[in-house]
mmCIF file of all heavy atoms in Angstrom:
data_model
loop_
_atom_site.group_PDB
_atom_site.id
_atom_site.type_symbol
_atom_site.label_atom_id
_atom_site.label_comp_id
_atom_site.label_asym_id
_atom_site.label_seq_id
_atom_site.Cartn_x
_atom_site.Cartn_y
_atom_site.Cartn_z
ATOM 1 N N GLY A 1 34.574 -33.497 12.007
ATOM 2 C CA GLY A 1 34.497 -34.859 11.485
ATOM 3 C C GLY A 1 35.640 -35.719 11.970
ATOM 4 O O GLY A 1 36.367 -35.342 12.895
ATOM 5 N N TRP A 2 35.799 -36.874 11.326
ATOM 6 C CA TRP A 2 36.876 -37.794 11.688
ATOM 7 C C TRP A 2 37.371 -38.535 10.451
ATOM 8 O O TRP A 2 36.685 -38.601 9.422
ATOM 9 C CB TRP A 2 36.412 -38.782 12.761
ATOM 10 C CG TRP A 2 35.305 -39.712 12.342
ATOM 11 C CD1 TRP A 2 35.414 -40.916 11.684
ATOM 12 C CD2 TRP A 2 33.894 -39.523 12.571
ATOM 13 N NE1 TRP A 2 34.171 -41.484 11.494
ATOM 14 C CE2 TRP A 2 33.235 -40.649 12.032
ATOM 15 C CE3 TRP A 2 33.134 -38.518 13.178
ATOM 16 C CZ2 TRP A 2 31.843 -40.794 12.091
ATOM 17 C CZ3 TRP A 2 31.755 -38.667 13.237
ATOM 18 C CH2 TRP A 2 31.128 -39.796 12.691
ATOM 19 N N HIS A 3 38.566 -39.090 10.573
ATOM 20 C CA HIS A 3 39.178 -39.842 9.465
ATOM 21 C C HIS A 3 40.037 -40.955 10.061
ATOM 22 O O HIS A 3 40.902 -40.714 10.901
ATOM 23 C CB HIS A 3 40.043 -38.917 8.605
ATOM 24 C CG HIS A 3 40.774 -39.631 7.517
ATOM 25 N ND1 HIS A 3 40.153 -40.113 6.380
ATOM 26 C CD2 HIS A 3 42.090 -39.961 7.387
ATOM 27 C CE1 HIS A 3 41.048 -40.699 5.608
ATOM 28 N NE2 HIS A 3 42.229 -40.636 6.193
ATOM 29 N N TRP A 4 39.796 -42.190 9.615
ATOM 30 C CA TRP A 4 40.560 -43.363 10.049
ATOM 31 C C TRP A 4 41.206 -43.972 8.822
ATOM 32 O O TRP A 4 40.525 -44.371 7.869
ATOM 33 C CB TRP A 4 39.634 -44.367 10.748
ATOM 34 C CG TRP A 4 40.190 -45.756 10.906
ATOM 35 C CD1 TRP A 4 39.712 -46.894 10.332
ATOM 36 C CD2 TRP A 4 41.307 -46.156 11.709
ATOM 37 N NE1 TRP A 4 40.444 -47.984 10.712
ATOM 38 C CE2 TRP A 4 41.446 -47.567 11.561
ATOM 39 C CE3 TRP A 4 42.221 -45.478 12.512
ATOM 40 C CZ2 TRP A 4 42.450 -48.285 12.198
ATOM 41 C CZ3 TRP A 4 43.211 -46.199 13.150
ATOM 42 C CH2 TRP A 4 43.321 -47.591 12.992
ATOM 43 N N ASP A 5 42.550 -44.054 8.801
ATOM 44 C CA ASP A 5 43.263 -44.569 7.634
ATOM 45 C C ASP A 5 43.832 -45.970 7.858
ATOM 46 O O ASP A 5 44.626 -46.463 7.054
ATOM 47 C CB ASP A 5 44.389 -43.613 7.236
ATOM 48 C CG ASP A 5 45.454 -43.463 8.314
ATOM 49 O OD1 ASP A 5 45.419 -44.197 9.332
ATOM 50 O OD2 ASP A 5 46.336 -42.598 8.149
ATOM 51 N N GLY A 6 43.429 -46.605 8.939
ATOM 52 C CA GLY A 6 43.935 -47.937 9.228
ATOM 53 C C GLY A 6 45.059 -47.950 10.236
ATOM 54 O O GLY A 6 45.366 -48.990 10.821
ATOM 55 N N ALA A 7 45.678 -46.793 10.448
ATOM 56 C CA ALA A 7 46.751 -46.695 11.439
ATOM 57 C C ALA A 7 46.515 -45.567 12.433
ATOM 58 O O ALA A 7 46.870 -45.673 13.601
ATOM 59 C CB ALA A 7 48.099 -46.484 10.750
ATOM 60 N N THR A 8 45.890 -44.479 11.952
ATOM 61 C CA THR A 8 45.680 -43.301 12.795
ATOM 62 C C THR A 8 44.235 -42.845 12.671
ATOM 63 O O THR A 8 43.716 -42.691 11.558
ATOM 64 C CB THR A 8 46.611 -42.150 12.378
ATOM 65 O OG1 THR A 8 47.968 -42.579 12.458
ATOM 66 C CG2 THR A 8 46.406 -40.939 13.269
ATOM 67 N N LEU A 9 43.611 -42.626 13.806
ATOM 68 C CA LEU A 9 42.283 -42.018 13.836
ATOM 69 C C LEU A 9 42.456 -40.554 14.215
ATOM 70 O O LEU A 9 43.083 -40.233 15.225
ATOM 71 C CB LEU A 9 41.385 -42.713 14.870
ATOM 72 C CG LEU A 9 40.012 -42.052 15.102
ATOM 73 C CD1 LEU A 9 39.175 -42.082 13.830
ATOM 74 C CD2 LEU A 9 39.279 -42.743 16.256
ATOM 75 N N GLN A 10 41.907 -39.675 13.386
ATOM 76 C CA GLN A 10 41.994 -38.242 13.678
ATOM 77 C C GLN A 10 40.607 -37.635 13.711
ATOM 78 O O GLN A 10 39.823 -37.791 12.784
ATOM 79 C CB GLN A 10 42.849 -37.521 12.634
ATOM 80 C CG GLN A 10 43.007 -36.033 12.934
ATOM 81 C CD GLN A 10 44.003 -35.349 12.029
ATOM 82 O OE1 GLN A 10 44.414 -35.904 11.028
ATOM 83 N NE2 GLN A 10 44.382 -34.130 12.370
ATOM 84 N N LEU A 11 40.315 -36.932 14.803
ATOM 85 C CA LEU A 11 39.107 -36.142 14.927
ATOM 86 C C LEU A 11 39.500 -34.681 14.750
ATOM 87 O O LEU A 11 40.566 -34.260 15.203
ATOM 88 C CB LEU A 11 38.467 -36.318 16.311
ATOM 89 C CG LEU A 11 37.622 -37.562 16.586
ATOM 90 C CD1 LEU A 11 38.325 -38.846 16.236
ATOM 91 C CD2 LEU A 11 37.154 -37.571 18.043
ATOM 92 N N PHE A 12 38.650 -33.887 14.101
ATOM 93 C CA PHE A 12 39.002 -32.499 13.827
ATOM 94 C C PHE A 12 37.761 -31.626 13.858
ATOM 95 O O PHE A 12 36.641 -32.100 13.675
ATOM 96 C CB PHE A 12 39.696 -32.377 12.466
ATOM 97 C CG PHE A 12 38.899 -32.960 11.326
ATOM 98 C CD1 PHE A 12 37.955 -32.209 10.649
ATOM 99 C CD2 PHE A 12 39.081 -34.298 10.939
ATOM 100 C CE1 PHE A 12 37.214 -32.760 9.606
ATOM 101 C CE2 PHE A 12 38.344 -34.851 9.897
ATOM 102 C CZ PHE A 12 37.404 -34.082 9.228
ATOM 103 N N THR A 13 37.995 -30.357 14.102
ATOM 104 C CA THR A 13 36.914 -29.380 14.062
ATOM 105 C C THR A 13 37.456 -28.064 13.552
ATOM 106 O O THR A 13 38.667 -27.903 13.340
ATOM 107 C CB THR A 13 36.268 -29.203 15.458
ATOM 108 O OG1 THR A 13 35.121 -28.359 15.346
ATOM 109 C CG2 THR A 13 37.243 -28.588 16.440
ATOM 110 N N ASP A 14 36.560 -27.105 13.311
ATOM 111 C CA ASP A 14 36.947 -25.822 12.737
ATOM 112 C C ASP A 14 37.740 -24.978 13.734
ATOM 113 O O ASP A 14 37.936 -25.361 14.887
ATOM 114 C CB ASP A 14 35.700 -25.059 12.272
ATOM 115 C CG ASP A 14 34.708 -24.861 13.412
ATOM 116 O OD1 ASP A 14 34.942 -23.986 14.265
ATOM 117 O OD2 ASP A 14 33.692 -25.589 13.459
ATOM 118 N N ARG A 15 38.184 -23.818 13.296
ATOM 119 C CA ARG A 15 39.091 -22.991 14.098
ATOM 120 C C ARG A 15 38.470 -22.536 15.418
ATOM 121 O O ARG A 15 39.191 -22.212 16.365
ATOM 122 C CB ARG A 15 39.564 -21.780 13.276
ATOM 123 C CG ARG A 15 38.514 -20.704 13.079
ATOM 124 C CD ARG A 15 38.840 -19.749 11.923
ATOM 125 N NE ARG A 15 40.092 -19.044 12.070
ATOM 126 C CZ ARG A 15 40.189 -17.729 12.260
ATOM 127 N NH1 ARG A 15 39.098 -16.982 12.394
ATOM 128 N NH2 ARG A 15 41.377 -17.150 12.317
ATOM 129 N N TYR A 16 37.142 -22.485 15.492
ATOM 130 C CA TYR A 16 36.497 -22.058 16.725
ATOM 131 C C TYR A 16 35.990 -23.232 17.571
ATOM 132 O O TYR A 16 35.602 -23.033 18.723
ATOM 133 C CB TYR A 16 35.294 -21.153 16.421
ATOM 134 C CG TYR A 16 35.538 -20.114 15.367
ATOM 135 C CD1 TYR A 16 34.945 -20.222 14.110
ATOM 136 C CD2 TYR A 16 36.360 -19.014 15.607
ATOM 137 C CE1 TYR A 16 35.149 -19.261 13.133
ATOM 138 C CE2 TYR A 16 36.583 -18.054 14.630
ATOM 139 C CZ TYR A 16 35.971 -18.190 13.391
ATOM 140 O OH TYR A 16 36.185 -17.250 12.418
ATOM 141 N N GLY A 17 35.959 -24.425 16.997
ATOM 142 C CA GLY A 17 35.308 -25.535 17.685
ATOM 143 C C GLY A 17 33.812 -25.319 17.803
ATOM 144 O O GLY A 17 33.163 -25.838 18.711
ATOM 145 N N ILE A 18 33.250 -24.559 16.868
ATOM 146 C CA ILE A 18 31.830 -24.199 16.935
ATOM 147 C C ILE A 18 30.943 -25.388 16.575
ATOM 148 O O ILE A 18 29.918 -25.631 17.203
ATOM 149 C CB ILE A 18 31.534 -23.014 15.988
ATOM 150 C CG1 ILE A 18 32.083 -21.717 16.589
ATOM 151 C CG2 ILE A 18 30.046 -22.889 15.706
ATOM 152 C CD1 ILE A 18 31.306 -21.167 17.745
ATOM 153 N N HIS A 19 31.338 -26.143 15.532
ATOM 154 C CA HIS A 19 30.526 -27.306 15.152
ATOM 155 C C HIS A 19 30.846 -28.435 16.131
ATOM 156 O O HIS A 19 31.961 -28.943 16.170
ATOM 157 C CB HIS A 19 30.848 -27.743 13.720
ATOM 158 C CG HIS A 19 29.757 -28.569 13.105
ATOM 159 N ND1 HIS A 19 29.344 -29.776 13.640
ATOM 160 C CD2 HIS A 19 28.976 -28.349 12.018
ATOM 161 C CE1 HIS A 19 28.366 -30.265 12.901
ATOM 162 N NE2 HIS A 19 28.119 -29.428 11.915
ATOM 163 N N PRO A 20 29.894 -28.842 16.961
ATOM 164 C CA PRO A 20 30.213 -29.814 18.024
ATOM 165 C C PRO A 20 30.542 -31.198 17.473
ATOM 166 O O PRO A 20 29.953 -31.665 16.497
ATOM 167 C CB PRO A 20 28.937 -29.842 18.867
ATOM 168 C CG PRO A 20 27.845 -29.420 17.929
ATOM 169 C CD PRO A 20 28.477 -28.445 16.975
ATOM 170 N N LEU A 21 31.500 -31.842 18.114
ATOM 171 C CA LEU A 21 31.844 -33.230 17.828
ATOM 172 C C LEU A 21 32.178 -33.888 19.166
ATOM 173 O O LEU A 21 33.085 -33.444 19.870
ATOM 174 C CB LEU A 21 33.037 -33.324 16.874
ATOM 175 C CG LEU A 21 33.332 -34.748 16.362
ATOM 176 C CD1 LEU A 21 32.218 -35.223 15.427
ATOM 177 C CD2 LEU A 21 34.672 -34.794 15.632
ATOM 178 N N TYR A 22 31.435 -34.930 19.502
ATOM 179 C CA TYR A 22 31.561 -35.573 20.808
ATOM 180 C C TYR A 22 32.306 -36.900 20.677
ATOM 181 O O TYR A 22 32.205 -37.597 19.657
ATOM 182 C CB TYR A 22 30.171 -35.830 21.407
ATOM 183 C CG TYR A 22 29.353 -34.572 21.560
ATOM 184 C CD1 TYR A 22 28.420 -34.196 20.585
ATOM 185 C CD2 TYR A 22 29.517 -33.734 22.665
ATOM 186 C CE1 TYR A 22 27.678 -33.039 20.713
ATOM 187 C CE2 TYR A 22 28.778 -32.571 22.801
ATOM 188 C CZ TYR A 22 27.861 -32.233 21.825
ATOM 189 O OH TYR A 22 27.130 -31.067 21.945
ATOM 190 N N TYR A 23 33.020 -37.268 21.738
ATOM 191 C CA TYR A 23 33.741 -38.531 21.727
ATOM 192 C C TYR A 23 33.817 -39.078 23.141
ATOM 193 O O TYR A 23 33.666 -38.348 24.122
ATOM 194 C CB TYR A 23 35.155 -38.344 21.155
ATOM 195 C CG TYR A 23 36.079 -37.525 22.030
ATOM 196 C CD1 TYR A 23 36.920 -38.126 22.975
ATOM 197 C CD2 TYR A 23 36.095 -36.130 21.932
ATOM 198 C CE1 TYR A 23 37.745 -37.366 23.780
ATOM 199 C CE2 TYR A 23 36.925 -35.365 22.740
ATOM 200 C CZ TYR A 23 37.745 -35.990 23.654
ATOM 201 O OH TYR A 23 38.563 -35.238 24.476
ATOM 202 N N PHE A 24 34.022 -40.396 23.235
ATOM 203 C CA PHE A 24 34.322 -41.006 24.525
ATOM 204 C C PHE A 24 35.488 -41.968 24.343
ATOM 205 O O PHE A 24 35.705 -42.543 23.277
ATOM 206 C CB PHE A 24 33.102 -41.721 25.121
ATOM 207 C CG PHE A 24 32.750 -43.042 24.475
ATOM 208 C CD1 PHE A 24 33.284 -44.232 24.947
ATOM 209 C CD2 PHE A 24 31.857 -43.092 23.405
ATOM 210 C CE1 PHE A 24 32.961 -45.449 24.361
ATOM 211 C CE2 PHE A 24 31.524 -44.299 22.814
ATOM 212 C CZ PHE A 24 32.084 -45.484 23.291
ATOM 213 N N TRP A 25 36.254 -42.132 25.406
ATOM 214 C CA TRP A 25 37.392 -43.043 25.430
ATOM 215 C C TRP A 25 37.341 -43.807 26.739
ATOM 216 O O TRP A 25 37.271 -43.216 27.816
ATOM 217 C CB TRP A 25 38.702 -42.276 25.308
ATOM 218 C CG TRP A 25 39.902 -43.019 25.845
ATOM 219 C CD1 TRP A 25 40.493 -42.857 27.063
ATOM 220 C CD2 TRP A 25 40.625 -44.063 25.186
ATOM 221 N NE1 TRP A 25 41.538 -43.731 27.215
ATOM 222 C CE2 TRP A 25 41.641 -44.484 26.072
ATOM 223 C CE3 TRP A 25 40.506 -44.674 23.947
ATOM 224 C CZ2 TRP A 25 42.538 -45.488 25.747
ATOM 225 C CZ3 TRP A 25 41.405 -45.664 23.632
ATOM 226 C CH2 TRP A 25 42.399 -46.072 24.503
ATOM 227 N N THR A 26 37.325 -45.127 26.663
ATOM 228 C CA THR A 26 37.307 -45.920 27.882
ATOM 229 C C THR A 26 37.913 -47.284 27.625
ATOM 230 O O THR A 26 37.437 -48.035 26.771
ATOM 231 C CB THR A 26 35.868 -46.071 28.433
ATOM 232 O OG1 THR A 26 35.874 -46.925 29.567
ATOM 233 C CG2 THR A 26 34.900 -46.610 27.395
ATOM 234 N N ASP A 27 38.999 -47.594 28.309
ATOM 235 C CA ASP A 27 39.595 -48.934 28.320
ATOM 236 C C ASP A 27 39.780 -49.519 26.919
ATOM 237 O O ASP A 27 39.322 -50.625 26.627
ATOM 238 C CB ASP A 27 38.734 -49.877 29.162
ATOM 239 C CG ASP A 27 38.749 -49.492 30.633
ATOM 240 O OD1 ASP A 27 39.765 -48.957 31.095
ATOM 241 O OD2 ASP A 27 37.734 -49.715 31.304
ATOM 242 N N GLY A 28 40.447 -48.778 26.026
ATOM 243 C CA GLY A 28 40.764 -49.301 24.706
ATOM 244 C C GLY A 28 39.672 -49.169 23.675
ATOM 245 O O GLY A 28 39.767 -49.744 22.590
ATOM 246 N N VAL A 29 38.608 -48.412 23.975
ATOM 247 C CA VAL A 29 37.507 -48.194 23.026
ATOM 248 C C VAL A 29 37.300 -46.696 22.862
ATOM 249 O O VAL A 29 37.200 -45.960 23.855
ATOM 250 C CB VAL A 29 36.200 -48.839 23.526
ATOM 251 C CG1 VAL A 29 35.059 -48.547 22.548
ATOM 252 C CG2 VAL A 29 36.368 -50.339 23.701
ATOM 253 N N LEU A 30 37.241 -46.238 21.617
ATOM 254 C CA LEU A 30 36.962 -44.838 21.339
ATOM 255 C C LEU A 30 35.751 -44.758 20.419
ATOM 256 O O LEU A 30 35.677 -45.456 19.413
ATOM 257 C CB LEU A 30 38.162 -44.156 20.684
ATOM 258 C CG LEU A 30 38.096 -42.625 20.593
ATOM 259 C CD1 LEU A 30 39.491 -42.014 20.728
ATOM 260 C CD2 LEU A 30 37.455 -42.139 19.291
ATOM 261 N N GLY A 31 34.815 -43.896 20.784
ATOM 262 C CA GLY A 31 33.638 -43.664 19.954
ATOM 263 C C GLY A 31 33.485 -42.191 19.659
ATOM 264 O O GLY A 31 33.830 -41.337 20.489
ATOM 265 N N VAL A 32 32.991 -41.845 18.471
ATOM 266 C CA VAL A 32 32.844 -40.454 18.073
ATOM 267 C C VAL A 32 31.556 -40.279 17.279
ATOM 268 O O VAL A 32 31.156 -41.156 16.511
ATOM 269 C CB VAL A 32 34.064 -39.977 17.244
ATOM 270 C CG1 VAL A 32 34.288 -40.864 16.018
ATOM 271 C CG2 VAL A 32 33.907 -38.517 16.830
ATOM 272 N N SER A 33 30.888 -39.147 17.477
ATOM 273 C CA SER A 33 29.666 -38.828 16.740
ATOM 274 C C SER A 33 29.363 -37.347 16.889
ATOM 275 O O SER A 33 29.814 -36.694 17.840
ATOM 276 C CB SER A 33 28.477 -39.635 17.268
ATOM 277 O OG SER A 33 27.288 -39.307 16.564
ATOM 278 N N ARG A 34 28.600 -36.828 15.963
ATOM 279 C CA ARG A 34 28.067 -35.472 16.105
ATOM 280 C C ARG A 34 26.980 -35.443 17.185
ATOM 281 O O ARG A 34 26.751 -34.400 17.811
ATOM 282 C CB ARG A 34 27.494 -35.020 14.758
ATOM 283 C CG ARG A 34 26.447 -33.902 14.796
ATOM 284 C CD ARG A 34 26.991 -32.611 15.358
ATOM 285 N NE ARG A 34 25.931 -31.630 15.551
ATOM 286 C CZ ARG A 34 25.185 -31.515 16.637
ATOM 287 N NH1 ARG A 34 25.354 -32.331 17.655
ATOM 288 N NH2 ARG A 34 24.269 -30.584 16.735
ATOM 289 N N SER A 35 26.333 -36.563 17.433
ATOM 290 C CA SER A 35 25.187 -36.614 18.347
ATOM 291 C C SER A 35 25.573 -37.271 19.661
ATOM 292 O O SER A 35 26.000 -38.424 19.681
ATOM 293 C CB SER A 35 24.033 -37.389 17.697
ATOM 294 O OG SER A 35 23.045 -37.710 18.650
ATOM 295 N N LEU A 36 25.390 -36.557 20.756
ATOM 296 C CA LEU A 36 25.665 -37.136 22.060
ATOM 297 C C LEU A 36 24.696 -38.278 22.400
ATOM 298 O O LEU A 36 25.127 -39.320 22.905
ATOM 299 C CB LEU A 36 25.649 -36.038 23.130
ATOM 300 C CG LEU A 36 26.107 -36.408 24.534
ATOM 301 C CD1 LEU A 36 26.750 -35.211 25.220
ATOM 302 C CD2 LEU A 36 24.972 -36.928 25.383
#
């Protein structure tokens, strides 16, 4: 999942990274979702 507190965006996953979480970063834009 992810958590945004207004200052820091954190993406996280379990100890194995088994549950997929996808993200993209390009020129000042970050997007995250479970679904590609």
Side-chain angles (χ1 to χ4, degrees):
W2 64 85
H3 176 73
W4 164 245
D5 63 7
T8 302
L9 173 63
Q10 182 172 13
L11 280 52
F12 55 87
T13 187
D14 57 77
R15 74 198 301 247
Y16 316 109
I18 286 286
H19 201 300
L21 188 69
Y22 302 96
Y23 68 92
F24 75 91
W25 158 261
T26 176
D27 293 329
V29 178
L30 192 147
V32 56
S33 179
R34 158 62 188 88
S35 167
L36 188 149

